Amino acid sequence: MFELPELPYALDALAPYMSAETLEFHHGKHHQAYVDKLNELVAEGPYKGKALEDIIRQAVGKPEDRVLFNQAGQHWNHSHFWLGMKKGGGGNIPGTLEKQLITDFGSVDRFRQEFKAACIAQFGSGWAWLVFDGEKLAITKTGNADTPLTDGHAALLTCDVWEHSYYIDYRNLRPKYVDAFLEGLVSWEAVADRFEATVQ
């Protein structure tokens, strides 16, 4: 049985950048619905007992498994999203990660610009990602439940740009939400830990 992950912070801890109301709906209702449907779909059949990552990799691209893939991908993506934020986020980036961002993007500011641009350019629902592609850091975006896992990339940071992630707090102002995410929500320590674990 898959379970909704507990948030590593209180519901009101991310305010004013992300409200308790948004977390109640986004985590407690939207994410929970994906988990419930996923458990229903894997209760019997060839995916029963498989790890989440294996389900995603094996179901991708199969029309008959698209509903399953959507639930599994959304569960994985959201779990990654929650753990990439913290109370008092933003701020300084740990040294190793900062050096790599400068190497691969030219500057931290350039990375921020390109990441924000990816968030804004994702048409409709989806995600923007900072990934390690095996050689360097890169920015990608995925639609709906798609995930870098299926491209063999290591996901380091994601911003959820589905409307339910920001509409309560920012209405239709996605750029304002992305600014708040980068300036006040990202746990750069978590991103750096993911990076170091990936390159070791």
Side-chain angles (χ1 to χ4, degrees):
M1 290 283 290
F2 295 103
E3 296 183 356
L4 182 72
E6 289 188 14
L7 294 174
Y9 34 74
L11 283 176
D12 62 355
L14 303 185
Y17 303 103
M18 185 175 287
S19 66
E21 184 180 8
T22 286
L23 283 173
E24 286 171 352
F25 277 89
H26 193 180
H27 175 264
K29 297 186 185 298
H30 285 281
H31 192 172
Q32 182 68 65
Y34 296 127
V35 173
D36 292 344
K37 184 65 176 178
L38 175 60
N39 283 325
E40 177 187 321
L41 292 170
V42 299
E44 300 292 341
Y47 291 98
K48 183 178 181 179
K50 289 186 178 291
L52 182 62
E53 291 80 3
D54 292 335
I55 293 173
I56 291 170
R57 293 188 180 102
Q58 292 172 27
V60 64
K62 297 178 180 177
E64 67 275 19
D65 291 332
R66 187 65 198 183
V67 174
L68 172 62
F69 175 83
N70 285 343
Q71 312 311 310
Q74 285 292 73
H75 179 34
W76 193 89
N77 289 353
H78 278 88
S79 299
H80 197 282
F81 178 58
W82 307 130
L83 296 176
M85 297 186 291
K86 69 171 187 175
K87 180 178 181 178
N92 294 329
I93 300 174
T96 303
L97 177 62
E98 182 181 42
K99 290 176 183 176
Q100 195 66 45
L101 288 169
I102 293 170
T103 297
D104 293 333
F105 294 98
S107 69
V108 171
D109 284 344
R110 183 64 182 170
F111 153 72
R112 292 176 185 271
Q113 292 167 11
E114 292 188 18
F115 189 85
K116 180 179 179 180
C119 290
I120 296 170
Q122 174 55 41
F123 181 76
S125 300
W127 307 79
W129 303 84
L130 173 67
V131 302
F132 184 70
D133 67 8
E135 297 181 359
K136 65 183 187 308
L137 298 176
I139 293 170
T140 63
K141 56 185 189 293
T142 59
N144 300 315
D146 290 342
T147 167
L149 268 181
T150 58
D151 295 321
H153 295 163
L156 306 181
L157 173 69
T158 190
C159 183
D160 184 346
V161 295
W162 285 64
E163 274 197 344
H164 61 239
S165 185
Y166 61 88
Y167 198 82
I168 289 173
D169 298 326
Y170 299 95
R171 295 299 186 258
N172 63 327
L173 301 178
R174 187 189 289 185
K176 186 176 180 181
Y177 157 69
V178 176
D179 285 338
F181 176 77
L182 289 170
E183 294 169 9
L185 291 173
V186 176
S187 171
W188 289 115
E189 293 80 9
V191 180
D193 287 346
R194 289 166 173 166
F195 175 63
E196 291 179 11
T198 296
V199 298
Q200 284 178 355

